[in-house]
Amino acid sequence: MQASPDTPHPPLEDRFGRRVSYLRLSVTDRCNFRCVYCMPAEGIALQPAASLLTFEEIEEIVGAFAALGVERIRLTGGEPLVRRDLPTLIQRLRALPGVREIVLTTNGHLLRRHAAALRDAGLAGVTVSLDSLRPERFARITRGGDLDRVLDGIQAAQDAGFGPVKLNAVIIRGFNDDEILDLAAWAVERRLLLRLIEFMPIGEDTVWGEVAGGGCVPAAELRAVLASRWTLTPEGMRPGAGPARYLRLEGPDTPQGARVGVISAVTECFCDACNRVRLTPQGGLRACLADDREANLRDLLRSTPPGPARAEALRHAVARALGAKEATHAFTLDGGNVTSKQMVSIGG
Ligand code: SAM
Ligand code: SF4
């Protein structure tokens, strides 16, 4: 494939011909919530601060990805807003040739404080996790989160000019599967773009092991619940965007253009459209969320003097990791290949 003016090297492709244009960059494994689907109640063993990639290291790695055709970066974690000076990092990454868009996924707890600065720094979009609209239930799922504060964070993102703000709701049987219609109605009324997410078997010590069948509510069931209230028109995925398949919703009292997305990694796998790789806070490059093999780019940077040889070594490491990327994962309703790391340490 030809290199474009922004990508001096041929764009990254895996061995199945899938082009990689999107990097999920986890900036911390720390979090101010402890969601039942993401980490165990007692939290995780945090890595020492010195093991985190510095802003300079992140810049160098993202620069290497951008030179290989990665255009879109999602900042995630852990909770990305607990990493100090995030707007500075955004400004620095925005300035890299080839980087076209930086977006953020957050639990919203610190969003009111940071929304305007994030927007000023050039952040293009915000996704907020919102699994319930009932305060006590929200606190139970997030193990202590304050719903009002998160709702205010969503409002702050809208006030700062991020629009449309997206919402992520992981639907778990027995936790919030009776709130699908309420969440969808609430979101469409406010012109927020809700995505209903199947609970994935990531990490051994989440609530997955405690709920029969893992608690995953299959996409077909999510759609059936939506269809009980709205007429649904499937619109499929948005090219180059994430794995959500969107449905247009029509019905009484529903604004024109209302939509909800469904993200169905477990029962309706979308791996053939995969365009992404992940970087852990410690610089581990994961070609797939479900694959525990990581290429440690931080060690590579810290053991190689700066210069063209290091840039070349970085490109090789990335190409090697991509070369080993599998066609698909093996998530199933019974668990399948549960990863050894928790979502919070990988970067969701
Ligand atoms: N702390 C931020 C947040 O909660 O939005 C960003 C990190 S979080 C790991 C990113 C996304 O992963 C969230 O929307 C969360 O709901 C989702 N997530 C975490 N664990 C999951 C699981 N086991 N299955 C499906 N989605 C999960
Ligand atoms: Fe923290 Fe986000 Fe995981 Fe919840 S989903 S524990 S907010 S990283």
Side-chain angles (χ1 to χ4, degrees):
M1 198 180 287
Q2 281 279 296
S4 83
D6 278 346
T7 57
H9 306 281
L12 270 182
E13 258 184 23
D14 69 16
R15 64 200 159 110
F16 305 100
R18 294 172 297 191
R19 161 106 197 266
V20 178
S21 57
Y22 179 48
L23 172 69
R24 292 185 76 98
L25 172 64
S26 176
V27 294
T28 179
D29 49 9
R30 286 165 168 70
C31 187
N32 39 14
F33 288 0
R34 287 189 181 181
C35 302
V36 294
Y37 46 73
C38 183
M39 67 159 114
E42 65 280 11
I44 53 155
L46 292 175
Q47 301 295 313
S51 72
L52 278 188
L53 289 175
T54 63
F55 281 4
E56 287 70 29
E57 288 168 338
I58 293 177
E59 210 175 349
E60 185 169 346
I61 293 172
V62 171
F65 274 108
L68 292 166
V70 170
E71 302 170 333
R72 212 162 167 253
I73 315 287
R74 178 166 298 274
L75 303 175
T76 182
E79 173 46 42
L81 294 182
V82 304
R83 177 106 191 218
R84 212 176 301 153
D85 290 335
L86 200 66
T88 307
L89 178 67
I90 292 167
Q91 270 171 350
R92 287 168 71 162
L93 298 184
R94 282 281 294 130
L96 294 170
V99 172
R100 297 198 197 285
E101 192 175 79
I102 303 178
V103 292
L104 170 84
T105 299
T106 171
N107 63 29
H109 184 78
L110 295 170
L111 202 44
R112 168 63 66 189
R113 191 188 304 167
H114 296 294
L118 292 166
R119 185 85 181 129
D120 291 346
L123 189 73
V126 175
T127 301
V128 182
S129 296
L130 181 72
D131 305 309
S132 176
L133 290 165
R134 304 183 195 173
E136 279 170 24
R137 179 180 280 185
F138 184 83
R140 175 175 171 231
I141 294 176
T142 56
R143 297 201 183 94
D146 176 346
L147 175 65
D148 280 343
R149 191 163 165 157
V150 171
L151 297 184
D152 185 53
I154 293 169
Q155 185 60 53
Q158 290 186 297
D159 296 345
F162 291 109
V165 173
K166 291 185 193 163
L167 301 178
N168 281 351
V170 180
I171 302 300
I172 306 182
R173 205 175 300 287
F175 280 77
N176 60 353
D177 54 329
D178 56 350
E179 264 194 87
I180 295 167
L181 293 177
D182 288 350
L183 283 162
W186 188 87
V188 298
E189 219 172 89
R190 289 161 182 77
R191 304 201 177 274
L192 299 160
L193 191 53
L194 174 71
R195 289 101 54 77
L196 302 170
I197 302 180
E198 286 184 346
F199 181 23
M200 295 181 282
I202 302 189
E204 280 156 5
D205 298 319
T206 68
V207 75
W208 181 279
E210 296 160 29
V211 190
C216 173
V217 180
E221 192 175 328
L222 298 173
R223 286 191 298 268
V225 174
L226 294 170
S228 70
R229 162 124 184 223
W230 289 285
T231 303
L232 308 183
T233 310
E235 293 186 333
M237 288 182 189
R238 298 190 170 164
R245 294 187 176 96
Y246 286 94
L247 300 159
R248 191 148 46 85
L249 310 184
E250 284 165 300
D253 306 324
T254 305
Q256 277 268 315
R259 282 176 180 79
V260 166
V262 174
I263 300 182
S264 56
V266 181
T267 66
E268 293 171 6
C269 151
F270 37 73
C271 299
D272 55 352
C274 185
N275 64 348
R276 60 196 48 204
V277 290
R278 289 178 152 80
L279 195 66
T280 71
Q282 289 76 32
L285 171 61
R286 286 175 83 101
C288 171
L289 173 64
D291 189 338
D292 277 325
R293 291 173 297 172
E294 289 181 8
N296 195 318
L297 304 184
R298 179 203 62 201
D299 289 352
L300 187 156
L301 291 188
R302 293 186 186 176
S303 62
T304 318
R310 180 152 100 182
E312 192 54 24
L314 206 47
R315 277 196 294 277
H316 274 297
V318 170
R320 241 192 339 268
L322 249 284
K325 181 166 168 141
E326 302 293 348
T328 188
H329 57 70
F331 290 154
T332 65
L333 286 173
D334 298 327
N337 62 329
V338 178
T339 57
S340 66
K341 276 189 172 176
Q342 313 292 338
M343 186 72 119
V344 67
S345 355
I346 299 171

